[in-house]
Amino acid sequence: MARLFSPRPPPSEDLFYETYYSLSQQYPLLLLLLVIVLVGLLALLAVAWASGRELASDPGFLTTMLCGLGGFSLLLSLASREQRLQRWTRPLSGLVWAALLALGLGFLFTGGVVSAWDQVSFFLFVIFTVYAMLPLGMRDAAAAGLASSLSHLLVLGLYLGLQPDSQPALLPQLAANAVLFLCGNVAGAYHKALMERALRATFREALSSLHSRRRLDTEKKHQEHLLLSILPAYLAREMKAEIMARLQAGQGSRPESTNNFHSLYVKRHQGVSVLYADIVGFTRLASECSPKELVLMLNELFGKFDQIAKEHECMRIKILGDCYYCVSGLPLSLPDHAINCVRMGLDMCRAIRKLRAATGVDINMRVGVHSGSVLCGVIGLQKWQYDVWSHDVTLANHMEASGVPGRVHITGATLALLAGAYAVEDAAMEHGDPYLRELGEPTYLVIDPRAEEEDEKGTAGRLLSSLEGPKMRPSLLMTRYLESWGAAKPFAHLSHVESPVSTSTPLPEKALSSFSPQWSLDRSRTPRGLDDELDTGDAKFFQVIEQLNSQKQWKQSEDFNPWTLYFREKEMEKEYRLSALPAFKYYAACTFLVFFSNFIIQMLVTNRPPALTITYSITFLLFFLLLFVCFSEHLTKCVLKGPKMLHWLPTLSVLVATRPGLRVALGTATILLVFSMAITSLVFLPAASNCPFRAPNVSFTASNLSWELPGSLPLISVPYSVHCCVLGFLSCSLFLHMSFELKLLLLLLWLAACCSLFLHSHAWLSDCLIARLYLGALDSRPGVLKEPKLMGAISFFIFFFTLLVLARQNEYYCRLDFLWKKKLRQEQEETETMENLTRLLLENVLPAHVAPQFIGQNRRNEDLYHQSYECVCVLFASVPDFKEFYSESSINHEGLECLRLLNEIIADFDELLSKPKFSGVEKIKTICSTYMAATGLNATSGQDAQQDAEQSCSHLGTMVEFAVALGSKLDVINKHSFNNFRLRVGLNHGPVVAGVIGAQKPQYDIWGNTVNVASRMESTGVLGKIQVTEETACALQSLGYTCYSRGIIKVKGKGQLCTYFLNTDLTRTGPPSGTLG
């Protein structure tokens, strides 16, 4: 018993479970145990007084009672102080047990003659409650239970062994006592083990639910960050709802709509300003960069621009290569949108001037701004990017293209909104841009008021270029300088979002440390501010654990009725009652142990009459049949080797476990069998009889009188019948999952039967035994606890109320366990849905092979993602006719209906990506009516270089087939919309650099000469044709495609190029031909 007072180990999950969770369950039981003992002692005094006994004539009994009342009242007052109880759990439990043991030993030697059956029921109560109601571990409870058993056996054995007249009957009685105590220990340990298992399972499910909630919260935060990194908040909510609908309907499917159109998330906004900015000279610089330098340079540049945009209330829309454009006045209208864009443009030019001055790299910034109205939103199904469309957007783009490097080029509409905030000068140039020339409106260049001040300080900024310029490449020099800007990395904000909690993490670290014994047991010693250190997760942890407190069962709850404990939801109540119970077979097995103990006891204390033997033989047969049915699944291997007609036997145990009605019937029948066999020995006696020991001529000297009654029943079997009835009460508690109302009914039935039997119909047996014990002392009366019928009645009531309390507790925790499991399943399903949603969102921003780099347990966003590829095929496919088709009028809702048609085109193109044969095609972006995609991006870096040219570029065929499929899709749309749109496609293949840039709105993109040439192949192409370079034509020919020469054409930035058209009328012809044309 030294472990009761041993020091506590360091904090761990087990310690937390024992000190808080287990205590929160056992605390009310301990209080109830003390209350039951006190009420029992008061009831003893009341019965003694009501029966006319003079308490003063038995000072030993009175002293024991008063000491018991005082001691247990003191223990109750100590236990009522929860903080003190938390600190002294083991010592207090030890004191309660010691007090019960002392009380039982005191009762043994007070009130009359000491007998072997004295206080067996009380010691059985002590043994069972040590397991079921004291906050002790299994080892401590077993030690206390065995010590209680041995103390009773040893004390009575030594005391009664010295008395010759009791010796003949002493050994059978002590053996019967040992069987009773052994059964009590086993039943108590069984009850405790099952409850501990259920409580710990509920505890772990609560923790799992907490982890699941944290994961759910994390996934929600991830989704919010991801969505808001792609879309404005108002649009994110609408699109999230559609994605959830798609996930619920089946991943990838689209919710049914009342029309044949895809959902369109586009709105019109008036009073906005659009800024386009292009880095002049960046293409030449990028050609000198390594992949890492290029991605870092772009991220730092555009990260700086994002910071400037945030400062001036502008929203970046998209990055197109080295072109950056944004809008002010979205999604909320701003009165100063024009000033915001002009300020941003000036700051961008200023940042590039500083960069040029510091590094000596010849780059500049060209900015164009126009104010008007836009259509803004998202089109397509994949790779969402918030975009804007309108004639005003087109004009802003042309303002940038025709602008002056280092200056902000604005229209008259923007100038009117500046209201004199900035001085301007007439652009005074002959527009080479046909679009602006056709408009014929004047344009202006904004004068930067701080430009002169910066020129005076310019020499100081050239320190880096003068010191390191001659030693370093311009690209590396620029990269070094840009790193000092410290732009955030893509998805860096996700690092600060709490990562999903692993289920392997048993408890929050702070929660454990904060619940150390010193803090939890003595709040006065809490370090100042410790409570404040608990983060939100730990606070939720304590909230969840608090919900497990058994005292909650008596309070109002959203889930339970506090009186009946029924679930408030009828469906949940039905599901609970119909749930399977695999442990039922163990309930039946332990009940058989109680039945077997009763059998052994009656065989020891009776003369084993034939009728009793026959009755037990039949009952044993019924029990063996029940156990065979319950455990038949364990005989599967044996049965399957036998005849087929017996193969159905193993299914019996499954039926019992899964059929609630069958379980209730078998459980009730089993308990009733134990009840009936507990009193079988009394059934064979008459209801009334003349006791031979009450005859007036019987002298106390007649020591040779028999202990037997007529009918060959020893008198000592009477108190042991009482003890067998007590075991019958215990059999009810063994069915943990039996409903409380059924247990209450059975316990009431058994209480009424036992009381009527021992207090009424067979009360004379108790009186006869007392007459035999007190021969010759007719005027003396034994104490209350020495009279079997009164002792039995008090024991019955004490066990009835004790087991009723435990039944209520068991019912609550069985239901709580079911509730937490159900909640955990629901939260896990919701978490899985959220994870799928996060994955879909991320894959809508990044390719599937790139997304794992930025999210999940293996998130790696410390470095910028970049990857170089040797052979990537890039496609640009545009619908040039859409520019002419697009118009803004009241008929088409200022262009909205035109965009609806463009949304159908892009969405149909996106649907092709879900086909297995196009799984290698990666959509990059859409630029107005131009669709950009690539193949070969899912290959491992360096893998292509190790393969031969034919194998490494085999994906070019996939891209050609995709281009043809795009044309077919457009033909279908033309047929339904009565249009004549035609596709213009440009293809090129070669090395590219892929990466993710931009912290505010991370964007996956590819760069390189291959991309630029592919874009030129489209812009210089012919409607209905696929134009390719000579190198790509050779590669396609090797794959079995036919190309014919277009001739030499002039390509902007590339000079004269010989290009080819792909013969799309033919499929692969097998072996390649010898020529291209």
Side-chain angles (χ1 to χ4, degrees):
M1 303 308 292
R3 291 188 71 240
L4 287 173
F5 303 94
S6 61
R8 295 176 180 270
S12 64
E13 179 182 333
D14 290 335
L15 175 64
F16 191 88
Y17 173 79
E18 291 174 7
T19 58
Y20 183 84
Y21 180 73
S22 181
L23 181 62
S24 70
Q25 320 322 318
Q26 300 291 348
Y27 174 66
L29 288 180
L30 177 60
L31 293 181
L32 285 170
L33 171 61
L34 294 173
V35 169
I36 288 172
V37 173
L38 286 171
V39 171
L41 292 175
L42 292 174
L44 276 175
L45 288 175
V47 170
W49 177 78
S51 60
R53 287 175 171 81
E54 291 290 336
L55 296 178
S57 63
D58 191 354
F61 174 75
L62 183 61
T63 302
T64 303
M65 293 294 293
L66 293 177
C67 290
L69 286 171
F72 282 100
S73 298
L74 179 62
L75 288 173
L76 182 61
S77 65
L78 289 175
S80 299
R81 301 181 63 183
E82 189 174 356
Q83 288 185 357
R84 191 64 62 87
L85 174 64
Q86 288 180 7
R87 189 169 188 177
W88 302 102
T89 305
R90 286 196 180 99
L92 186 62
S93 301
L95 286 175
V96 172
W97 168 73
L100 287 170
L101 197 61
L103 186 64
L105 293 173
F107 285 154
L108 275 177
F109 297 100
T110 58
V113 178
V114 178
S115 303
W117 46 266
D118 269 350
Q119 306 309 315
V120 171
S121 294
F122 184 82
F123 273 76
L124 198 59
F125 171 77
V126 173
I127 291 168
F128 186 75
T129 53
V130 159
Y131 288 98
M133 302 185 79
L134 288 182
L136 295 173
M138 180 62 80
R139 291 183 181 180
D140 296 338
L146 291 175
S148 303
S149 307
L150 291 175
S151 63
H152 186 278
L153 294 173
L154 291 176
V155 168
L156 284 184
L158 293 174
Y159 181 80
L160 296 177
L162 302 177
Q163 302 180 20
D165 60 331
S166 63
Q167 203 164 10
L170 179 61
L171 289 178
Q173 292 181 78
L174 290 179
N177 293 350
V179 172
L180 278 164
F181 294 149
L182 178 62
C183 182
N185 275 282
V186 172
Y190 166 84
H191 184 279
K192 187 176 187 66
L194 286 185
M195 280 305 299
E196 281 287 324
R197 183 179 178 184
L199 294 177
R200 192 173 286 274
T202 307
F203 178 70
R204 290 189 178 279
E205 282 155 12
L207 292 184
S208 298
S209 178
L210 175 66
H211 299 325
S212 181
R213 289 181 187 179
R214 285 189 170 186
R215 287 182 60 193
L216 188 59
D217 292 341
T218 301
E219 291 302 328
K220 288 180 178 178
K221 290 177 183 177
H222 283 166
Q223 291 162 24
E224 292 300 320
H225 282 77
L226 284 170
L227 275 173
L228 295 178
S229 70
I230 311 169
L231 310 168
Y234 80 92
L235 192 57
R237 288 191 294 269
E238 295 181 30
M239 302 197 75
K240 182 178 179 179
E242 179 174 340
I243 299 177
M244 293 293 290
R246 286 169 58 187
L247 286 174
Q248 292 172 0
Q251 186 175 337
S253 65
R254 192 158 42 98
E256 295 182 3
S257 177
T258 55
N259 54 48
N260 295 323
F261 292 104
H262 294 85
S263 299
L264 179 65
Y265 300 99
V266 175
K267 291 184 178 180
R268 184 170 183 82
H269 282 266
Q270 295 181 342
V272 301
S273 291
V274 184
L275 177 148
Y276 270 82
D278 186 69
I279 305 174
V280 181
F282 186 80
T283 302
R284 182 181 66 257
L285 180 66
S287 63
E288 303 173 3
C289 296
S290 66
K292 183 175 182 180
E293 291 172 351
L294 176 62
V295 174
L296 176 60
M297 190 184 306
L298 287 169
N299 187 70
E300 294 292 339
L301 278 171
F302 294 132
K304 180 66 173 179
F305 296 162
D306 284 344
Q307 293 174 9
I308 296 173
K310 187 175 182 181
E311 292 171 4
H312 297 299
E313 297 182 287
C314 295
M315 176 192 292
R316 189 242 290 173
I317 300 299
K318 195 177 290 187
I319 298 171
L320 303 175
D322 58 353
C323 178
Y324 183 102
Y325 68 101
C326 63
V327 176
S328 180
L330 287 179
L332 300 176
S333 299
L334 296 172
D336 300 330
H337 57 86
I339 296 177
N340 291 341
C341 276
V342 171
R343 284 176 180 172
M344 178 174 176
L346 293 174
D347 284 351
M348 293 172 79
C349 293
R350 192 174 301 120
I352 294 299
R353 281 200 300 271
K354 289 182 179 179
L355 175 63
R356 186 173 64 247
T359 63
V361 178
D362 185 18
I363 63 170
N364 214 327
M365 180 62 74
R366 192 171 57 218
V367 179
V369 179
H370 174 59
S371 303
S373 58
V374 297
L375 291 166
C376 57
V378 173
I379 61 172
L381 302 178
Q382 296 192 19
K383 295 298 183 295
W384 293 327
Q385 289 182 352
Y386 191 66
D387 211 342
V388 291
W389 304 267
S390 71
H391 290 315
D392 291 322
V393 175
T394 305
L395 178 55
N397 189 7
H398 285 279
M399 289 296 293
E400 175 273 313
S402 61
V404 177
R407 303 294 297 274
V408 177
H409 191 198
I410 66 173
T411 62
T414 302
L415 177 63
L417 293 171
L418 293 180
Y422 287 94
V424 298
E425 59 185 9
D426 194 345
M429 61 178 72
E430 289 294 333
H431 290 298
D433 190 306
Y435 188 87
L436 294 179
R437 190 166 55 244
E438 183 179 346
L439 288 177
E441 294 183 2
T443 59
Y444 307 89
L445 296 174
V446 178
I447 299 174
D448 189 350
R450 290 177 289 181
E452 295 181 0
E453 298 177 8
E454 292 179 0
D455 289 340
E456 295 176 0
K457 300 177 182 179
T459 55
R462 291 188 170 89
L463 179 62
L464 184 63
S465 61
S466 62
L467 292 178
E468 300 185 6
K471 304 176 185 178
M472 303 175 67
R473 289 182 289 111
S475 59
L476 183 57
L477 187 64
M478 184 170 169
T479 303
R480 291 283 180 88
Y481 179 77
L482 288 173
E483 285 180 338
S484 66
W485 284 2
K489 294 181 175 60
F491 300 104
H493 53 279
L494 294 184
S495 299
H496 303 294
V497 180
E498 179 186 5
S499 61
V501 180
S502 171
T503 54
S504 63
T505 304
L507 289 172
E509 185 177 352
K510 284 188 179 179
L512 277 176
S513 62
S514 63
F515 203 82
S516 61
Q518 290 77 13
W519 177 77
S520 61
L521 308 177
D522 189 356
R523 294 293 180 91
S524 62
R525 301 182 182 180
T526 304
R528 184 171 297 179
L530 180 58
D531 290 338
D532 298 334
E533 293 179 4
L534 290 177
D535 58 15
T536 304
D538 293 331
K540 290 182 179 179
F541 172 80
F542 286 113
Q543 290 174 7
V544 170
I545 297 302
E546 185 62 25
Q547 294 177 25
L548 300 174
N549 197 318
S550 60
Q551 300 174 59
K552 295 284 184 181
Q553 62 181 294
W554 303 103
K555 300 178 182 179
Q556 287 295 331
S557 168
E558 296 179 358
D559 303 307
F560 300 107
N561 183 304
W563 297 104
T564 63
L565 291 181
Y566 287 2
F567 291 112
R568 296 191 184 275
E569 295 183 14
K570 292 184 179 180
E571 286 299 320
M572 187 179 293
E573 179 68 24
K574 182 179 179 181
E575 185 179 350
Y576 169 76
R577 292 185 178 274
L578 294 178
S579 59
L581 183 60
F584 179 83
K585 55 189 175 185
Y586 303 115
Y587 301 166
C590 199
T591 309
F592 174 74
L593 175 65
V594 174
F595 164 76
F596 189 67
S597 300
N598 278 342
F599 167 74
I600 294 176
I601 291 166
Q602 296 198 26
M603 292 300 103
L604 287 171
V605 298
T606 65
N607 291 333
R608 297 174 287 281
L612 184 64
T613 305
I614 295 173
T615 306
Y616 264 107
S617 299
I618 297 173
T619 312
F620 265 108
L621 183 62
L622 293 176
F623 255 108
F624 287 143
L625 183 62
L626 171 66
L627 293 176
F628 174 79
V629 170
C630 292
F631 288 90
S632 60
E633 63 178 349
H634 297 282
L635 304 175
T636 303
K637 292 183 179 179
C638 299
V639 172
L640 291 179
K641 294 179 181 179
K644 291 185 178 180
M645 61 181 298
L646 299 178
H647 287 185
W648 57 273
L649 288 177
T651 60
L652 292 175
S653 60
V654 179
L655 288 175
V656 172
T658 56
R659 299 292 178 87
L662 184 59
R663 282 202 310 268
V664 169
L666 289 177
T668 305
T670 304
I671 293 172
L672 291 177
L673 271 179
V674 175
F675 286 172
S676 59
M677 296 310 296
I679 56 175
T680 301
S681 59
L682 299 179
V683 173
F684 300 107
L685 287 176
S689 177
N690 294 323
C691 179
F693 307 114
R694 291 180 177 177
N697 58 349
V698 176
S699 171
F700 69 94
T701 57
S703 58
N704 59 346
L705 284 176
S706 172
W707 282 85
E708 293 187 5
L709 289 171
S712 301
L713 179 69
L715 280 174
I716 59 171
S717 67
V718 176
Y720 284 97
S721 295
V722 173
H723 304 329
C724 288
C725 290
V726 170
L727 288 183
F729 278 98
L730 289 184
S731 67
C732 278
S733 69
L734 300 178
F735 288 83
L736 260 65
H737 278 74
M738 181 177 283
S739 64
F740 174 75
E741 57 268 24
L742 182 57
K743 283 186 181 179
L744 175 61
L745 180 63
L746 290 172
L747 287 172
L748 279 173
L749 175 67
W750 188 230
L751 178 67
C754 292
C755 288
S756 64
L757 188 68
F758 288 98
L759 293 179
H760 179 64
S761 62
H762 288 72
W764 66 273
L765 292 173
S766 175
D767 297 335
C768 191
L769 176 60
I770 296 301
R772 174 64 181 85
L773 284 172
Y774 295 90
L775 273 175
L778 298 177
D779 55 341
S780 65
R781 298 183 64 187
V784 175
L785 291 177
K786 298 295 184 178
E787 193 168 347
K789 62 180 180 181
L790 294 180
M791 177 268 296
I794 293 172
S795 299
F796 297 153
F797 275 96
I798 288 177
F799 272 93
F800 171 78
F801 287 111
T802 301
L803 295 179
L804 210 58
V805 167
L806 290 175
R808 167 84 182 197
Q809 185 91 340
N810 295 347
E811 175 84 358
Y812 175 69
Y813 276 104
C814 288
R815 290 177 174 273
L816 190 64
D817 181 61
F818 175 82
L819 177 65
W820 278 103
K821 284 180 179 177
K822 188 174 182 65
K823 284 184 176 181
L824 180 60
R825 284 196 304 269
Q826 292 174 345
E827 287 171 356
Q828 287 175 340
E829 291 172 0
E830 189 176 354
T831 302
E832 184 178 353
T833 302
M834 291 297 174
E835 288 174 345
N836 290 334
L837 178 55
T838 302
R839 178 180 52 80
L840 284 177
L841 288 173
L842 195 60
E843 290 180 1
N844 242 321
V845 183
L846 305 174
H849 66 282
V850 179
Q853 305 286 333
F854 293 92
I855 198 167
Q857 297 294 331
N858 300 319
R859 185 185 305 134
R860 301 193 304 269
N861 52 6
E862 293 81 4
D863 296 321
L864 289 168
Y865 173 78
H866 59 87
Q867 188 72 278
S868 60
Y869 299 90
E870 292 299 321
C871 182
V872 170
C873 184
V874 182
L875 169 142
F876 282 85
S878 71
V879 187
D881 298 334
F882 183 79
K883 292 181 181 179
E884 298 178 3
F885 172 79
Y886 180 82
S887 63
E888 296 177 0
S889 64
S890 58
I891 298 177
N892 61 18
H893 300 92
E894 302 300 328
L896 184 63
E897 297 307 317
C898 297
L899 277 186
R900 190 180 302 279
L901 180 58
L902 179 62
N903 182 56
E904 292 301 309
I905 295 172
I906 301 300
D908 283 357
F909 288 176
D910 287 343
E911 287 178 346
L912 291 173
L913 299 173
S914 61
K915 293 187 175 182
K917 67 177 180 178
F918 297 135
S919 60
V921 179
E922 191 67 46
K923 178 185 177 182
I924 305 299
K925 68 180 78 169
T926 56
I927 310 158
C928 192
S929 61
T930 301
Y931 195 92
M932 180 183 176
T935 57
L937 291 173
N938 53 359
T940 306
S941 178
Q943 178 181 350
D944 294 329
Q946 301 172 7
Q947 300 174 342
D948 55 63
E950 181 179 352
Q951 186 176 359
S952 66
C953 296
S954 59
H955 56 80
L956 268 67
T958 303
M959 185 58 88
V960 170
E961 293 178 10
F962 182 71
V964 174
L966 292 179
S968 300
K969 278 285 186 183
L970 191 58
D971 290 340
V972 175
I973 293 173
N974 285 334
K975 181 179 178 181
H976 289 92
S977 63
F978 306 102
N979 284 296
N980 191 28
F981 294 134
R982 302 179 71 187
L983 206 60
R984 188 173 70 196
V985 180
L987 284 181
N988 189 29
H989 81 288
V992 301
V993 174
V996 179
I997 59 172
Q1000 297 299 323
K1001 290 185 179 180
Q1003 178 177 320
Y1004 179 82
D1005 210 342
I1006 56 177
W1007 304 272
N1009 185 62
T1010 302
V1011 179
N1012 297 335
V1013 173
S1015 177
R1016 300 305 181 196
M1017 288 298 98
E1018 180 274 319
S1019 61
T1020 60
V1022 177
L1023 291 176
K1025 299 292 183 180
I1026 301 175
Q1027 183 173 225
V1028 299
T1029 60
E1030 186 173 3
E1031 294 79 6
T1032 303
C1034 291
L1036 290 173
Q1037 184 191 21
S1038 67
L1039 295 174
Y1041 292 96
T1042 303
C1043 299
Y1044 59 91
S1045 176
R1046 179 187 182 184
I1048 296 176
I1049 62 172
K1050 184 179 180 179
V1051 177
K1052 181 182 177 182
K1054 303 300 175 184
Q1056 303 292 325
L1057 289 182
C1058 181
T1059 63
Y1060 291 79
F1061 287 131
L1062 183 67
N1063 189 351
T1064 56
D1065 295 331
L1066 301 174
T1067 56
R1068 297 190 184 192
T1069 59
S1073 59
T1075 61
L1076 295 175

